[in-house]
Amino acid sequence: MSVRTRQVSSPPPASRQTTTPATTARRQTASAATATPQEAATRRAELSTAGAMTRARLTSGLIYDGTRPAPGTTNTNAARPIDAPLKGDPNHRTAETYNNVINQFAVAHNPRYAIRDSSGDGIKDTFCNIFVWDVTRAMGAEIPHWVDKRTGQPTTVYNYSQSRELDANATMDWLRQHGAQHGWRRVSAEEAQRLANEGHPTMVGWKNPGGIGHVAIVRPGNINERGPAIAQAGSTNVNYAHVRDTFGSRPVEYWVNDRGRAAGGSSPVPTPMPQPPAPAPPATPPSTTPPTTGLPQATLRQGDRGEAVRTLQQSLIRLGYMTEAAYNTGPGIFGPRTDAALRAFQRDAGITVDGIYGPQTRQALTQALARVQGNASTYTVRPGDTLSQIAQRHGTTVDELVRLNNIRNPNLIYPGQELRLPARTYTVRPGDTLSQIAQRHGTTVDELVRLNNIRNPNLIYPGQELRLPPSSGTPAPAPAPRPAPTPNPGPPSGVGGSAPIGQIPRTGNAFIDSIAADAIRNQRETGVPASVTIAQAILESGWGRSALSREANNFFGIKGTGPAGSVTMRTREVINGREIYVDAQFRRYHTPQESFADHARLFTQNRRYAEAMRHTHDAFRFAAEIHRAGYATDPEYTSKLHSLMRQYNLTQFDAIARR
């Protein structure tokens, strides 16, 4: 990773200073000095009360969402400090305040951190250390950018005769040499996330022996197989990611300053559970958005930005007019893709096609969303809940809950909050009957007939999408695969044998528990991540219920002729963006174990998966690479695998396989 952080220290160009509340207060206090002593005392008391109210307001609600830099945070002379409007109090650490302090810098949209040639030497600079400096300084636990040349202590003297600037490598050295006396200590990844979730300033860094290294902020969030949650500037500026997304597998260090006091003691892991946020500041009037859809009330058109645009985009995604990929090119930005999606909706709704979101379009969207979401149910958050738990309990994903409820920060939900749950659907597969689908999803044939206006319950077809009734909140375990015949002496080439693999945790999901051992064994033999194997088996075999898995023991849709011959099945393919159904020849196996072994060999012996095999240490990257290499034609194949891997915590089996 090449992250360059050299800054310039020339004085900033003369400009009119932005008036801040603090500046106003100083001016008012100065003018009070000319009044009588009694008037001055009264005025100081008023200012003190106003200041206390302002501080309470700033720290009580979610006032920054990371999409727009706060006033005073955009000075592009990055060698100079900035006076951020929101500051953390070491005596009152909370996850809400820490989140807001980070978000006020809007690192992904702030010109202060934009990659540029800041010194005129023809070399592009990046600003990872400047972002860490800004955040920790605002939190009252500064990791300095400037230090005294003699003592190494933080300084406010910004010249090269007495001071020196720290790049990322030097920042790591400073933490090791001076961090302890300033309250910084080294911790594990798990501790880093836990303490960040309590509101303590936390960072992660890598000292590069052959370069300048990289540093980032650990923010409140969830730790997963990609490490703790982070925000960073650098070669990529991102407000929410995970350590391995940007550091890769490099040896990183985590540091926290937990001298301050966390309010209310320790937070639950992985996320804090704050009380409902206080009302928004008066400058932002209360929303009058209809509660049924959450649609914005403002008129929007191409060129607009902000949370209202993000909400509109999410509604268009929900209705199928905008893809996640298009949304990810500009969340909260009304660009050509949003314009095209909105015009398509207007055309289908039979209203004026002008690409403007106004009253007429709002009404049509409200009606459309009501139809789509009419099958949705709600869930009231209980103490100790996390979005991940709720998503798993109701058979959905965190991303879907975030989108459906317009949640700005997935790590901040509170007891009593009512969440809307998505409508559940099922796509009919070859060999399905309504009776089987009803039993699999804990409902009845009559209910499916009613929800889907089915005239003849004996006539359903592959590819048909059926609406399912809302989840009860206690998902039924996935169906177990058909009992396999007695295994033959074992698959060839040493893959997928019967060597003992040790204790495997039971998940309570019959299908996953039945195949975990084979997936772990194959990972030990070939390196193919067990989590990807399990996710593919779930997706390709429909939890072991597909005709191909039942009749041919083929759990991965591998085509051709297998050890037990072949079978012809009708299958869905995506060709030039169109879904079509074709007859194809698939491999038949004597046992499920043969299918798993053949699946592992496919990746190790086929040269087109060579790139994927270079990333067996990163299951999510591996899944993306096999898709890129042509394993499946479904354009959403990677995201579907990733969703299953996260929802069912499948990477726990990768860790077991490495033991």
Side-chain angles (χ1 to χ4, degrees):
M1 178 180 297
S2 176
V3 179
R4 189 170 181 270
T5 53
R6 187 169 70 80
Q7 306 300 330
V8 293
S9 59
S10 56
S15 61
R16 183 170 62 84
Q17 295 297 314
T18 302
T19 300
T20 66
T23 305
T24 303
R26 285 196 296 271
R27 291 174 181 168
Q28 291 170 329
T29 303
S31 66
T34 64
T36 66
Q38 184 176 0
E39 289 171 337
T42 301
R43 185 60 179 148
R44 281 194 297 271
E46 290 173 350
L47 289 171
S48 177
T49 301
M53 292 174 63
T54 299
R55 286 192 297 274
R57 175 176 61 77
L58 285 173
T59 58
S60 63
L62 298 179
I63 59 175
Y64 295 111
D65 64 2
T67 61
R68 182 174 300 176
T73 65
T74 58
N75 184 359
T76 54
N77 186 342
R80 300 291 179 178
I82 53 178
D83 186 20
L86 179 59
K87 296 180 174 63
D89 180 357
N91 294 316
H92 189 80
R93 296 298 198 202
T94 68
E96 303 99 305
T97 299
Y98 188 27
N99 255 322
N100 277 311
V101 167
I102 296 169
N103 287 343
Q104 72 181 330
F105 296 106
V107 62
H109 307 283
N110 194 328
R112 180 171 172 83
Y113 313 112
I115 301 173
R116 60 189 182 276
D117 178 7
S118 60
S119 58
D121 61 1
I123 301 175
K124 293 290 182 70
D125 300 316
T126 56
F127 302 91
C128 64
N129 56 330
I130 302 301
F131 179 58
V132 169
W133 181 33
D134 291 344
V135 172
T136 57
R137 190 168 180 270
M139 287 295 292
E142 180 184 16
I143 294 178
H145 176 58
W146 288 91
V147 296
D148 185 278
K149 277 187 176 181
R150 295 176 295 103
T151 66
Q153 296 301 313
T155 183
T156 56
V157 178
Y158 310 128
N159 64 58
Y160 290 117
S161 62
Q162 301 176 54
S163 311
R164 66 186 179 94
E165 295 179 279
L166 304 183
D167 63 11
N169 273 356
T171 296
M172 299 306 296
D173 289 336
W174 183 88
L175 282 167
R176 296 168 185 172
Q177 296 164 15
H178 303 284
Q181 69 185 98
H182 295 278
W184 289 91
R185 65 186 181 93
R186 189 171 175 180
V187 295
S188 66
E190 291 73 21
E191 285 181 286
Q193 189 66 79
R194 178 178 63 81
L195 291 165
N197 288 350
E198 293 179 8
H200 296 292
T202 312
M203 64 85 66
V204 56
W206 165 60
K207 183 173 180 180
N208 181 3
I212 58 174
H214 185 45
V215 291
I217 288 293
V218 176
R219 64 175 306 142
N222 288 314
I223 187 171
N224 60 21
E225 68 288 334
R226 303 192 316 280
I230 62 169
Q232 72 156 48
S235 57
T236 300
N237 294 348
V238 60
N239 197 45
Y240 195 95
H242 289 270
V243 169
R244 291 187 64 181
D245 294 334
T246 58
F247 285 83
S249 58
R250 295 174 176 86
V252 298
E253 298 176 12
Y254 297 93
W255 292 78
V256 67
N257 190 313
D258 56 349
R259 267 188 184 169
R261 295 200 302 272
S266 299
S267 302
V269 176
T271 58
M273 295 296 297
Q275 293 303 309
T284 305
S287 171
T288 56
T289 302
T292 53
T293 63
L295 287 170
Q297 295 297 292
T299 297
L300 303 171
R301 52 176 53 83
Q302 191 165 176
D304 288 338
R305 293 168 176 255
E307 192 60 32
V309 175
R310 187 192 300 267
T311 302
L312 172 61
Q313 291 170 326
Q314 291 166 347
S315 298
L316 292 169
I317 291 172
R318 185 72 184 146
L319 293 171
Y321 286 90
M322 193 173 192
T323 65
E324 288 282 358
Y327 169 75
N328 289 333
T329 64
I333 301 173
F334 198 134
R337 290 179 174 84
T338 305
D339 179 81
L342 188 62
R343 288 175 184 271
F345 169 77
Q346 291 171 330
R347 191 176 299 109
D348 289 350
I351 60 178
T352 303
V353 180
D354 56 7
I356 298 174
Y357 172 80
Q360 184 186 37
T361 302
R362 183 185 309 113
Q363 181 179 3
L365 274 171
T366 300
Q367 295 170 352
L369 287 169
R371 288 193 297 271
V372 170
Q373 298 165 355
N375 191 36
S377 59
T378 61
Y379 174 79
T380 302
V381 177
R382 302 168 186 157
D385 276 342
T386 67
L387 272 188
S388 177
Q389 293 169 341
I390 296 169
Q392 184 170 0
R393 198 178 304 153
H394 292 277
T396 184
T397 65
V398 170
D399 289 344
E400 180 69 6
L401 290 177
V402 166
R403 183 168 61 245
L404 189 59
N405 294 279
N406 296 322
I407 296 173
R408 294 184 178 184
N409 187 337
N411 305 304
L412 292 175
I413 58 175
Y414 52 87
Q417 181 178 0
E418 189 171 90
L419 299 179
R420 301 182 62 215
L421 302 175
R424 302 165 65 221
T425 62
Y426 174 78
T427 302
V428 177
R429 302 170 185 269
D432 277 343
T433 66
L434 270 189
S435 177
Q436 293 171 338
I437 296 169
Q439 184 177 6
R440 195 178 308 156
H441 294 280
T443 184
T444 64
V445 170
D446 288 344
E447 182 69 2
L448 291 177
V449 167
R450 183 187 67 79
L451 281 174
N452 296 278
N453 298 317
I454 296 174
R455 295 183 178 180
N456 185 343
N458 298 311
L459 289 178
I460 58 174
Y461 54 88
Q464 181 179 358
E465 190 170 90
L466 299 179
R467 296 173 66 192
L468 302 174
S471 167
S472 65
T474 307
R482 181 174 61 87
T486 304
N488 61 9
S493 74
V495 178
S498 57
I501 59 173
Q503 187 68 28
I504 303 176
R506 308 294 290 180
T507 67
N509 184 297
F511 183 69
I512 292 175
D513 289 343
S514 71
I515 65 175
D518 288 320
I520 292 170
R521 188 174 292 114
N522 286 344
Q523 178 175 331
R524 289 183 177 175
E525 293 286 343
T526 66
V528 175
S531 58
V532 178
T533 299
I534 296 171
Q536 285 192 281
I538 293 170
L539 191 59
E540 299 286 350
S541 74
W543 296 95
R545 286 285 189 172
S546 71
L548 187 61
S549 60
R550 294 197 314 268
E551 298 174 19
N553 285 314
N554 188 333
F555 288 82
F556 302 97
I558 300 178
K559 296 175 180 176
T561 302
S566 64
V567 60
T568 299
M569 293 276 182
R570 194 159 185 77
T571 183
R572 181 178 70 97
E573 301 284 358
V574 180
I575 307 297
N576 295 326
R578 292 180 58 249
E579 293 186 4
I580 63 172
Y581 285 85
V582 298
D583 290 330
Q585 192 178 53
F586 292 89
R587 299 183 186 183
R588 186 191 293 271
Y589 302 96
H590 296 102
T591 67
Q593 288 74 25
E594 279 188 343
S595 175
F596 279 79
D598 199 25
H599 173 263
R601 282 195 300 273
L602 176 70
F603 297 128
T604 59
Q605 297 178 3
N606 192 321
R607 292 179 58 186
R608 72 175 178 174
Y609 297 113
E611 181 62 26
M613 291 302 296
R614 282 193 278 270
H615 300 283
T616 54
H617 62 286
D618 185 340
F620 286 85
R621 177 71 181 275
F622 183 91
E625 291 297 340
I626 62 173
H627 183 203
R628 188 175 292 115
Y631 187 94
T633 60
D634 183 350
E636 302 298 321
Y637 193 73
T638 296
S639 62
K640 289 177 180 178
L641 291 180
H642 286 183
S643 178
L644 287 168
M645 290 159 69
R646 292 190 183 102
Q647 183 175 350
Y648 295 99
N649 189 26
L650 299 184
T651 52
Q652 64 178 308
F653 300 110
D654 299 343
I656 294 171
R658 296 189 189 106
R659 293 175 188 166

